Amino acid sequence: MANAKVIQAKQDAVDVVTGKLQNSITTVVADYRGLNVSQVTELRKQLREAGVEFQVLKNTLLRRATAAAELTELDAVLTGPTAIAFSETDAVAPAKILNDFAKKNDALKLKGGVVEGRVIDADQLKALAELPSRDGLLSMLLSVLQAPMRNFALAVKAVAEKEEQSA
């Protein structure tokens, strides 16, 4: 009887991770081997503040979850100690935070991940991390949209000033 409870508990854990894989916009897999407790605590704090969930999971559990979520391409990076970050709101935040942390702490290595249902490798994750945040992209878009109007207003003002000087 106890064996059935253990099996059910493991299946429930796989179901939870499968749901997180399916519902998250971005999932990042990293090797955390070599980080000390204070470093992991600091990393977890940064991720929590950005609304990113960070867990250390067994690779066998993750492989079962990736099979259920139809993301078996991710199995190639599920070797050694594995930490995984899930974000349901921001596509760039987990990659950016983990990449920045990895630059300061050589022990953390990005392995790969999933972005909007597509499996990507560590190099693609690093490229994603270099993108500006959502707020940064919105401000860039706003400045691009405002530029033509601002230039038109300056041109009208210059014409008006020129006509005032002529008169």
Side-chain angles (χ1 to χ4, degrees):
M1 210 51 169
N3 208 10
K5 288 181 182 179
V6 171
I7 291 171
Q8 185 59 44
K10 288 181 179 182
Q11 184 57 48
D12 292 345
V14 169
D15 292 343
V16 168
V17 174
T18 300
K20 289 178 184 178
L21 283 169
Q22 292 171 334
N23 295 331
S24 66
I25 296 171
T26 301
T27 302
V28 178
V29 179
D31 182 348
Y32 66 95
R33 183 181 9 214
L35 291 178
N36 62 37
V37 174
S38 64
Q39 290 171 322
V40 172
T41 303
E42 176 60 27
L43 177 60
R44 285 181 186 273
K45 180 181 175 232
Q46 290 177 18
L47 289 166
R48 193 177 327 110
E49 288 171 355
V52 178
E53 185 176 346
F54 185 72
Q55 293 181 319
V56 174
L57 297 169
K58 290 187 175 187
N59 290 326
T60 53
L61 183 141
L62 280 171
R63 283 190 190 96
R64 289 182 182 174
T66 58
E70 299 178 1
L71 295 168
T72 54
E73 304 91 41
L74 193 61
D75 290 352
V77 299
L78 299 179
T79 57
T82 302
I84 191 161
F86 301 100
S87 176
E88 294 183 5
T89 56
D90 191 342
V92 180
K96 184 178 283 301
I97 293 168
L98 286 167
N99 188 51
D100 290 347
F101 197 85
K103 286 178 183 176
K104 297 173 191 163
N105 300 282
D106 293 336
L108 183 70
K109 305 276 188 261
L110 299 182
K111 293 181 175 182
V114 180
V115 177
E116 294 182 351
R118 189 173 143 249
V119 176
I120 61 174
D121 62 17
D123 293 332
Q124 291 170 318
L125 264 177
K126 289 176 184 173
L128 176 66
E130 299 301 322
L131 288 175
S133 67
R134 181 179 186 276
D135 293 336
L137 289 172
L138 287 174
S139 68
M140 285 184 207
L141 176 63
L142 184 60
S143 68
V144 166
L145 293 174
Q146 287 178 339
M149 294 178 76
R150 183 175 39 247
N151 292 342
F152 178 72
L154 290 173
V156 169
K157 182 180 176 185
V159 169
E161 288 175 356
K162 185 176 181 182
E163 286 184 9
E164 282 181 14
Q165 289 177 356
S166 312

